[in-house]
Amino acid sequence: MNIKKEIIFLSTELHKHNYLYYMLDKPEISDYEFDKMMKKLEDLEFKFPQFKDPNSPSQRVGSLLNNSFNSVNHNFPMYSLENSYSKDELIKWKDRLVKILKTEKISFSCELKLDGVSVSVSYKKGNLSQGLTRGDGVSGDDVTENIKTINTIPLKTLTKVEYDFDVRGEVIIEKTDFVKLNERKIKNSEEPYKNPRNTASGSIKLVSSKEVRKRPLKCYFFQIVSENNPFNTQSESLNALKDLGFNVSNSHKYCKNIDEVFEFISYWYKQKENLNFEIDGIVVKVNSFSMQKHLGFTSKFPRWAIAYKFQTEQAITKLVDIDFQVGRTGAITPVANLEPVLLNGTVVKRASLHNEDQIDKLDLYQNDTLTVEKGGEIIPKIVSVDYRLRNLKSKKISFIKNCPACGSLLFKNDDEAQHYCLNSKGCYPQIVSRFKHFISRKGMNIDGFGTETIERLLKKDIIKNFDDIYNLKVSQLVGLERMAQKSAENLVFAIYNSKAQPYHKVLYSLGIRHVGETVSKRLASHFTTINDLINASYEDILNVDEIGEKIAMSLKQYFNETKNLDLLKKLNDLGLNFSQNKSEKKGTSLNKLSFVITGTFEKISRDSLKNIILNNGGKVVSSISSKAIIISGRNPGPSKISKAKDLKIQTLSLEDFINSYNINF
Ligand code: IVH
């Protein structure tokens, strides 16, 4: 292949895989293969710059100082939207449309109003040519290089487009990405970002596009503007944009009348908290482009569209008292108990107060009258206190000095807002929470082990530490309240089965402070055995990508305690995974045997069964051959069973399988 052709081939492949990964969430190649291809393209482009396309996939990586932010005129002005806050206002808007258009038959496109920063991106013959901020609506800042780093903005359309067009969209940061971004900030002892909207809008104007690339920005498109717009309606154009490879939210809806618009609004008003991005309302647009043309614009707004803004709902209630909750790590969280009040359709009885600073800021007194608010967050917050209604005899709320559970004196570091109970060994709620964390889905994933069972076993002194879980006998469990023989057997089986959990999950389940899911994964892939991690120095740990001082310190503290090392040894002897390289721990009882799994099992998930087979040196295959052994559960595949009969292959139940092989976890 000649160089030019090879560059074109690699670019086309990389554009395709970017789309499969970021837009369809269906990657076909590994990150490693993607990076390898990108490296090859970058090398070729470096050696043969004459063949480099300005919209090459390599342009997504950005550079250090490349933005000058020239002010550039928009091809079409960027109008803003008129706001409305009630059904009445929307009906008045619709009546105005009816008057101008002289028809009642008006249909609408309803869309979510994403709360981020708006951008206008121009395409020439399907190639991204420019990206501008809104600016004053007439001209905006040229942020093309930053725009190119955002994976959900295509550098080229999926199919050829002969006409030039602009697309308008909203650049946002999703809620889960925002949380992760701030976790990283906090870990590096930096001030966290205030909210996703401001962070997105700050990010799009950064001088270094390499820095923009690091921010988890996404863009959702909602409008095409072109002199040669070939579409008849807004709904049709949104679908066409999606087909061209643009990221269009799936939640837009064609509404044939204003009543359907109201239904859409009510639906999303209730559902908005379940979205992974923030919305501040709904945009209602006249669907027909010819009607839009007829309606035209005022000096500020299009007449054919309006925003219906959601207001953050507030309610007034009274403070009943404050609970101080003790978390797994001993952190104390004050929670306000409120007189029940209806807010956003749900009855609110509690509000989190986070820490002492929050109580001081609000200057809370007993029985105070409060305004509570439910915004983006699930847990409502207290926004203000009506001091005028305060009873003069009421007492000021002060933070507790001793742990509400065990009475130990609380401790607070000067640089942290949180108070802690340091009696980790003897403070009951901390002990229960540690067990809950250990058995949780993200940890050892032991099904059927409820909090009540843990509490009963703790109270009877049957379990004191995590290793005791693995020595539990059916007979001990059957003696507990509400635990029948069958549930006890299932629980013992689930405990046994949990030994197949991988190393990073075991690490997570230990509940070491600051060692969450992501950190555990990172540590496990760097220090591939627990001994490597135990023996690592503070500096060695700090050298791991994204691992900061707090985590390193916490790990060193944990491994410095003999009782923790004793526990790790016991868990290791019991067969839990303490190394990344499974082969080290692999049993060999199923060596070279192939298994076909069919049907479902009451006691075990198919994935766990697969893990057991793999961890014992066996193979899991999907098609039946004379060499395979079948493990059959409930509702097995009929074709598999009949093929097995034809080939006279051994078919085992789960129990047969467990009993026939000497499985070593
Ligand atoms: S249409 C002339 N549709 O809201 C049409 N805007 O307050 C103007 N926005 O500047 C925009 N989601 O940044 C439209 N589905 C949507 C939108 C949307 C968010 C933003 C956009 C606009 C602002 C107006």
Side-chain angles (χ1 to χ4, degrees):
M1 212 187 303
N2 73 27
I3 302 292
K4 190 174 172 191
K5 274 195 181 149
E6 187 160 8
I7 287 182
I8 294 173
F9 170 76
L10 288 168
S11 298
T12 316
E13 280 294 292
L14 285 162
H15 278 308
K16 181 181 93 182
H17 290 298
N18 181 78
Y19 179 74
L20 286 167
Y21 186 95
Y22 288 101
M23 311 281 283
L24 302 186
D25 202 11
K26 281 187 187 147
E28 283 180 1
I29 59 171
S30 67
D31 291 1
Y32 173 73
E33 282 170 294
F34 186 93
D35 293 345
K36 213 167 75 178
M37 235 194 271
M38 182 69 88
K39 177 88 188 45
K40 201 164 164 193
L41 176 66
E42 280 169 347
D43 286 349
L44 287 175
E45 285 178 343
F46 182 74
K47 282 188 203 139
F48 306 96
Q50 66 271 35
F51 300 135
K52 181 171 171 178
D53 178 345
N55 279 332
S56 157
S58 62
Q59 293 311 290
R60 290 220 190 263
V61 293
S63 65
L64 273 176
L65 281 174
N66 59 338
N67 283 312
S68 50
F69 299 136
N70 294 326
S71 177
V72 178
N73 274 353
H74 288 292
N75 294 327
F76 304 90
M78 278 182 92
Y79 288 90
S80 91
L81 289 171
E82 184 182 355
N83 287 330
S84 65
Y85 297 91
S86 67
K87 248 182 166 184
D88 276 358
E89 285 178 272
L90 267 188
I91 290 178
K92 277 189 192 132
W93 171 71
K94 191 230 35 176
D95 289 344
R96 286 205 303 271
L97 302 179
V98 171
K99 222 167 162 184
I100 303 173
L101 296 169
K102 297 190 180 67
T103 173
E104 289 275 350
K105 275 197 161 175
I106 307 170
S107 55
F108 304 92
S109 168
C110 283
E111 298 156 25
L112 303 183
K113 188 171 184 307
L114 274 74
D115 198 12
V117 54
S118 62
V119 290
S120 181
V121 192
S122 306
Y123 287 79
K124 287 194 169 138
K125 296 223 177 321
N127 277 291
L128 190 156
S129 60
Q130 191 168 60
L132 303 180
T133 61
R134 180 173 182 278
D136 61 6
V138 176
S139 61
D141 287 333
D142 184 344
V143 287
T144 312
E145 296 313 313
N146 290 352
I147 288 283
K148 283 186 181 175
T149 67
I150 302 175
N151 290 303
T152 42
I153 301 184
L155 299 177
K156 285 170 188 291
T157 51
L158 285 181
T159 47
K160 267 204 170 153
V161 183
E162 289 306 331
Y163 56 92
D164 296 347
F165 63 91
D166 289 357
V167 274
R168 305 271 159 85
E170 199 81 353
V171 171
I172 55 129
I173 296 182
E174 288 186 342
K175 291 180 194 167
T176 38
D177 286 333
F178 184 72
V179 171
K180 280 191 218 148
L181 193 65
N182 266 350
E183 277 172 0
R184 236 181 291 155
K185 281 275 215 188
I186 292 165
K187 205 188 65 210
N188 296 333
S189 310
E190 289 168 353
E191 185 72 11
Y193 294 112
K194 291 258 173 325
N195 60 50
R197 206 205 81 83
N198 291 359
T199 314
S201 96
S203 303
I204 204 74
K205 293 277 291 284
L206 287 171
V207 177
S208 152
S209 53
K210 222 181 182 82
E211 199 51 45
V212 182
R213 171 86 184 152
K214 291 187 195 155
R215 307 276 170 98
L217 301 173
K218 281 200 173 151
C219 186
Y220 282 88
F221 290 96
F222 49 73
Q223 201 84 22
I224 176 165
V225 223
S226 165
E227 252 148 30
N228 305 305
N229 184 348
F231 311 110
N232 294 316
T233 66
Q234 169 69 4
S235 309
E236 183 194 343
S237 71
L238 288 180
N239 295 333
L241 279 179
K242 186 140 209 164
D243 292 343
L244 286 174
F246 290 95
N247 191 33
V248 176
S249 155
N250 284 330
S251 11
H252 67 94
K253 188 169 186 263
Y254 165 81
C255 292
K256 63 176 181 299
N257 53 42
I258 200 79
D259 287 333
E260 288 191 4
V261 172
F262 293 141
E263 276 171 34
F264 184 88
I265 291 174
S266 319
Y267 176 81
W268 284 107
Y269 183 65
K270 287 187 207 121
Q271 288 296 322
K272 65 181 191 298
E273 257 115 78
N274 297 330
L275 287 165
N276 199 16
F277 45 68
E278 294 185 338
I279 60 170
D280 59 344
I282 298 294
V283 183
V284 188
K285 296 173 185 168
V286 169
N287 198 34
S288 148
F289 281 157
S290 63
M291 282 186 178
Q292 284 192 8
K293 210 167 168 190
H294 188 151
L295 289 160
F297 297 82
T298 68
S299 60
K300 282 198 245 158
F301 312 122
R303 287 196 190 85
W304 44 264
I306 195 162
Y308 179 92
K309 298 273 275 217
F310 294 144
Q311 276 173 316
T312 315
E313 234 184 71
Q314 293 190 332
I316 294 179
T317 185
K318 279 190 130 185
L319 177 67
V320 177
D321 56 19
I322 295 199
D323 280 342
F324 290 88
Q325 294 180 340
V326 190
R328 176 171 56 85
T329 56
I332 308 289
T333 310
V335 178
N337 288 313
L338 311 168
E339 277 182 7
V341 62
L342 200 66
L343 191 59
N344 278 4
T346 49
V347 179
V348 170
K349 293 185 201 147
R350 286 156 84 75
S352 172
L353 281 162
H354 305 291
N355 51 46
E356 186 178 26
D357 294 350
Q358 187 88 10
I359 296 181
D360 287 349
K361 225 190 256 169
L362 288 165
D363 185 26
L364 276 182
Y365 276 61
Q366 281 172 345
N367 291 317
D368 264 350
T369 305
L370 316 164
T371 301
V372 285
E373 181 179 285
K374 210 166 164 192
E377 322 73 20
I378 315 263
I379 305 164
K381 60 176 178 214
I382 300 172
V383 281
S384 62
V385 178
D386 193 337
Y387 303 113
R388 294 164 309 173
L389 299 178
R390 177 173 289 161
N391 185 334
L392 291 174
K393 285 184 194 147
S394 285
K395 274 213 256 160
K396 187 173 163 59
I397 304 273
S398 48
F399 208 85
I400 46 171
K401 300 261 179 292
N402 296 78
C403 173
C406 72
S408 308
L409 202 62
L410 297 182
F411 169 81
K412 183 178 171 297
N413 239 336
D414 286 345
D415 59 350
E416 268 187 87
Q418 212 83 33
H419 283 73
Y420 286 92
C421 164
L422 300 181
N423 178 21
S424 62
K425 267 192 241 166
C427 181
Y428 189 66
Q430 292 188 55
I431 301 171
V432 177
S433 305
R434 280 203 297 274
F435 273 96
K436 271 167 73 179
H437 179 83
F438 183 80
I439 62 162
S440 67
R441 212 168 40 83
K442 290 178 181 172
M444 298 311 290
N445 191 19
I446 307 179
D447 263 354
F449 212 163
T451 311
E452 285 144 26
T453 312
I454 293 176
E455 294 206 30
R456 282 177 197 133
L457 290 168
L458 279 169
K459 286 214 169 106
K460 291 197 165 183
D461 260 357
I462 302 178
I463 54 170
K464 290 200 183 74
N465 213 339
F466 302 148
D467 56 305
D468 298 325
I469 292 178
Y470 290 92
N471 294 318
L472 279 173
K473 308 230 161 16
V474 173
S475 56
Q476 289 172 301
L477 290 165
V478 170
L480 299 176
E481 244 173 272
R482 275 194 247 152
M483 179 72 77
Q485 176 79 19
K486 184 90 183 144
S487 329
E489 279 173 17
N490 285 348
L491 180 52
V492 169
F493 199 85
I495 292 170
Y496 174 69
N497 188 23
S498 77
K499 293 186 188 181
Q501 287 295 85
Y503 170 39
H504 67 89
K505 296 213 175 191
V506 177
L507 205 49
Y508 167 86
S509 72
L510 297 173
I512 305 171
R513 228 169 130 192
H514 307 303
V515 180
E517 218 184 341
T518 321
V519 171
S520 308
K521 275 191 190 153
R522 225 161 254 153
L523 289 170
S525 65
H526 192 92
F527 302 103
T528 52
T529 71
I530 192 77
N531 281 332
D532 290 350
L533 181 57
I534 295 172
N535 296 326
S537 68
Y538 175 75
E539 286 73 26
D540 290 340
I541 302 175
L542 268 188
N543 271 340
V544 182
D545 222 16
E546 308 265 336
I547 303 290
E549 289 172 6
K550 266 191 196 166
I551 302 170
M553 194 95 81
S554 164
L555 284 161
K556 286 314 292 172
Q557 267 168 10
Y558 184 88
F559 295 127
N560 265 342
E561 292 202 37
T562 329
K563 71 168 173 48
N564 291 334
L565 296 179
D566 286 348
L567 171 70
L568 294 178
K569 178 160 186 329
K570 281 184 191 157
L571 293 176
N572 188 50
D573 292 347
L574 283 160
L576 272 67
N577 276 318
F578 279 104
S579 96
Q580 178 82 330
N581 184 359
K582 286 213 178 103
S583 63
E584 267 187 37
K585 287 200 68 78
K586 254 187 190 174
T588 51
S589 56
L590 305 179
N591 229 358
K592 298 198 178 73
L593 296 176
S594 296
F595 292 86
V596 174
I597 303 174
T598 179
T600 55
F601 306 89
E602 194 186 330
K603 292 181 180 171
I604 191 172
S605 71
R606 286 168 63 117
D607 274 350
S608 304
L609 180 56
K610 222 173 176 178
N611 273 339
I612 294 177
I613 296 172
L614 297 177
N615 283 343
N616 284 284
K619 271 204 298 190
V620 179
V621 294
S622 57
S623 57
I624 294 183
S625 71
S626 56
K627 285 189 208 115
I629 299 162
I630 297 179
I631 306 175
S632 167
R634 230 180 309 152
N635 302 326
S639 65
K640 286 208 169 103
I641 295 296
S642 78
K643 196 165 175 195
K645 272 189 188 147
D646 290 349
L647 293 172
K648 297 201 173 57
I649 298 173
Q650 201 184 1
T651 302
L652 303 176
S653 68
L654 182 64
E655 286 70 24
D656 294 340
F657 165 73
I658 296 287
N659 295 330
S660 315
Y661 296 94
N662 179 23
I663 294 164
N664 168 30
F665 281 85

